[in-house]
Amino acid sequence: MDKPSKIALYAIGAVIVLMMIAEITKPKALNWRDSYAAADKIPLGCYVLFNELKEVSNKTIKTSTKTAFENLKDVETNEKTVSLFINNGIHFDKQDSESLIKYVEDGNSVFISTNYIYGVLSDTLNINIGSDIYNFFKKPSLNSFTSTSLKHNERRFKDVIENSFFTSLDTLNAIALGTTHVNKTEKDPNDSIPETNINFIKVPFGKNNGAFYIHTNPFAFSNYHMLNGNDVYAATVLSFLPKNQIIWDNYYKSGRKVITSPLRFVLQNPALKWAFYITLISLLLFVIFKGKRTQRIIPVVEPLKNASLDFTKTIGDLYYQHGDYTNIINNKIQYFLEQIRSKYYLNTNELSENFISKLAIKSSNKKEDTKALIDYIVYLKSKNTHTEPDLIQLNKLIETFTKNNI
């Protein structure tokens, strides 16, 4: 690769790295989605409120992640409680509504703060919630209380607000506790909605001092307003509730964590969920301990045969069958003398007395036996023809000699 190509390649790589760094380090966009969940720290979550309630309450706060029907059937009847429902929109089905009505009839209280409520519960309480979306849906509004002693606790919500209010209610049973006021800069002659409307009521229900508290400004309880000076208003609204144990609803939330996995039925059932987890762990352990590659059986490899020995034996048999004893004796003598040279480093050109003495010492043989072998070799070398007894005798002497050393 030439130099210009390398420079271009490095430049492209540097640009990619810088883009990755910029993407990683850039600030995350603020999440403005409706949540109202106790664990969410985003502007419209309820993390601040939930933790403040834990600080000021003299009793532990119970958290419900089930429907009203499923949760309230497990609530002890001998202790009065207050259930808190806060969300931008809440819908209770018939079964949930009947459970809430029975719950309040038993002397408990329900607090609901929402922009929209409909269904059996709203029909039973004879209330409707709406808003003037053409005039002051998201305009700054002053949220006040009907009690003049709470004048200093009213707050103006300038932004992050949806001004909902009661469009109709049962004036014989409902008690107005708070209002919302919006200044209309341009009044439509056909506009019959006043600037001040009720947004907080109490509806006593049953004969055991139970009550529904309905509030139409859930934004007041969000992290955004709790941390921007409007926490006093939220605290004042909640101060109307009985000082009983609080049940915090974490089910009817826009930010509720929903399992979207195809296994959601299994994961929502505790028994099936643990069975599923145990199965996964068991499979993992199986893979770790049994899934390793098992070493295959090592085949038995027969050692290679020494073909040279077989070849030598074959050649020797051929010589022996043809009666060529002289050739066999000469080869045997040459092989023996080669062993003497390679092992004892002795010169075999002259088979003298001196050679016999050195060979006897180095081979750890008796001098007489060594001399008998060498003399017999000299004798055989002097003969022109040989017989079978000559070969047998030579072999016997060599075997006797080599038995101790070679």
Side-chain angles (χ1 to χ4, degrees):
M1 184 182 295
D2 56 1
K3 188 174 181 179
S5 299
K6 289 183 178 180
I7 294 174
L9 185 61
Y10 292 149
I12 294 172
V15 170
I16 294 174
V17 171
L18 291 175
M19 291 176 63
M20 292 174 61
I21 295 173
E23 185 67 25
I24 294 172
T25 58
K26 74 176 183 181
K28 293 183 179 179
L30 198 58
N31 187 352
W32 285 98
R33 68 179 178 87
D34 294 336
S35 170
Y36 300 100
D40 278 346
K41 298 180 180 180
I42 60 178
L44 295 182
C46 280
Y47 176 83
V48 175
L49 174 63
F50 181 77
N51 285 275
E52 286 297 321
L53 287 175
K54 290 196 298 184
E55 293 294 330
V56 300
S57 178
N58 55 2
K59 296 182 180 180
T60 57
I61 297 179
K62 296 182 179 180
T63 302
S64 170
T65 56
K66 302 177 181 178
T67 64
F69 170 75
E70 293 175 315
N71 180 58
L72 295 179
K73 68 180 181 181
D74 299 329
V75 175
E76 297 179 4
T77 56
N78 58 346
E79 181 182 7
K80 304 305 177 185
T81 58
V82 179
S83 294
L84 268 62
F85 298 89
I86 303 174
N87 198 48
N88 59 332
I90 297 177
H91 171 64
F92 299 108
D93 60 22
K94 182 178 179 181
Q95 196 175 39
D96 294 335
S97 299
E98 291 175 350
S99 297
L100 286 171
I101 292 171
K102 176 66 169 59
Y103 171 73
V104 175
E105 285 179 340
D106 291 336
N108 300 290
S109 301
V110 170
F111 175 79
I112 301 174
S113 183
T114 181
N115 292 125
Y116 314 99
I117 185 171
Y118 47 90
V120 175
L121 183 61
S122 63
D123 294 339
T124 302
L125 299 179
N126 196 18
I127 60 173
N128 285 302
I129 299 175
S131 58
D132 187 1
I133 61 174
Y134 298 104
N135 287 309
F136 54 92
F137 183 49
K138 292 190 177 183
K139 289 185 178 181
S141 63
L142 179 65
N143 284 244
S144 307
F145 299 97
T146 55
S147 174
T148 56
S149 62
L150 299 176
K151 176 74 175 174
H152 61 285
N153 290 345
E154 65 184 21
R155 288 293 184 273
R156 180 176 295 278
F157 292 84
K158 299 179 180 180
D159 52 11
V160 190
I161 188 73
E162 292 181 8
N163 294 304
S164 299
F165 50 86
F166 291 98
T167 56
S168 66
L169 52 84
D170 186 354
T171 56
L172 295 177
N173 295 314
I175 302 171
L177 300 178
T179 61
T180 179
H181 176 83
V182 176
N183 292 320
K184 295 185 179 181
T185 56
E186 297 180 4
K187 294 185 178 181
D188 188 338
N190 298 320
D191 184 8
S192 60
I193 299 176
E195 292 183 339
T196 302
N197 297 278
I198 298 174
N199 72 339
F200 184 25
I201 64 171
K202 174 184 176 181
V203 183
F205 204 88
K207 300 179 181 180
N208 296 308
N209 296 323
F212 285 95
Y213 295 84
I214 314 297
H215 182 258
T216 64
N217 182 11
F219 292 89
F221 302 100
S222 65
N223 296 328
Y224 179 86
H225 288 294
M226 290 290 292
L227 297 175
N228 281 278
N230 294 328
D231 53 317
V232 174
Y233 174 81
T236 306
V237 170
L238 296 178
S239 68
F240 284 92
L241 305 179
K243 303 300 185 288
N244 298 330
Q245 184 175 41
I246 296 174
I247 300 177
W248 175 275
D249 164 64
N250 232 9
Y251 179 83
Y252 299 95
K253 303 291 187 185
S254 301
R256 175 166 60 97
K257 303 296 186 294
V258 179
I259 300 175
T260 58
S261 168
L263 296 171
R264 58 183 176 274
F265 176 77
V266 174
L267 297 178
Q268 287 175 348
N269 187 301
L272 294 177
K273 179 176 70 174
W274 279 109
F276 177 69
Y277 288 157
I278 291 172
T279 301
L280 288 182
I281 294 172
S282 301
L283 289 174
L284 180 62
L285 293 176
F286 174 80
V287 171
I288 293 175
F289 294 103
K290 290 292 185 179
K292 293 182 178 179
R293 187 181 69 177
T294 304
Q295 184 178 4
R296 63 181 182 180
I297 299 175
I298 300 175
V300 178
V301 179
E302 297 290 341
L304 296 176
K305 294 182 178 180
N306 193 340
S308 59
L309 292 178
D310 293 339
F311 177 75
T312 303
K313 182 179 179 182
T314 301
I315 296 300
D317 291 342
L318 288 174
Y319 279 125
Y320 188 78
Q321 289 176 4
H322 288 81
D324 192 358
Y325 304 116
T326 300
N327 202 352
I328 296 174
I329 289 174
N330 289 335
N331 289 331
K332 199 168 185 65
I333 291 173
Q334 288 180 6
Y335 178 73
F336 174 73
L337 294 179
E338 176 60 29
Q339 284 187 305
I340 298 298
R341 288 191 296 270
S342 61
K343 187 172 183 178
Y344 301 119
Y345 305 102
L346 294 175
N347 188 351
T348 59
N349 291 331
E350 293 184 8
L351 304 180
S352 60
E353 288 294 329
N354 185 33
F355 170 79
I356 294 174
S357 299
K358 291 181 180 180
L359 179 60
I361 294 172
K362 289 190 175 185
S363 64
S364 301
N365 278 286
K366 294 180 180 179
K367 186 175 181 180
E368 300 83 44
D369 295 338
T370 304
K371 180 174 176 55
L373 172 60
I374 299 302
D375 289 346
Y376 194 70
I377 289 174
V378 172
Y379 166 71
L380 292 176
K381 291 178 72 175
S382 64
K383 292 178 65 176
N384 293 326
T385 59
H386 301 85
T387 61
E388 183 178 354
D390 293 337
L391 177 60
I392 294 174
Q393 180 62 22
L394 174 63
N395 188 69
K396 187 184 296 183
L397 291 174
I398 291 176
E399 286 185 351
T400 302
F401 180 83
T402 58
K403 191 178 295 183
N404 295 330
N405 51 85
I406 300 178

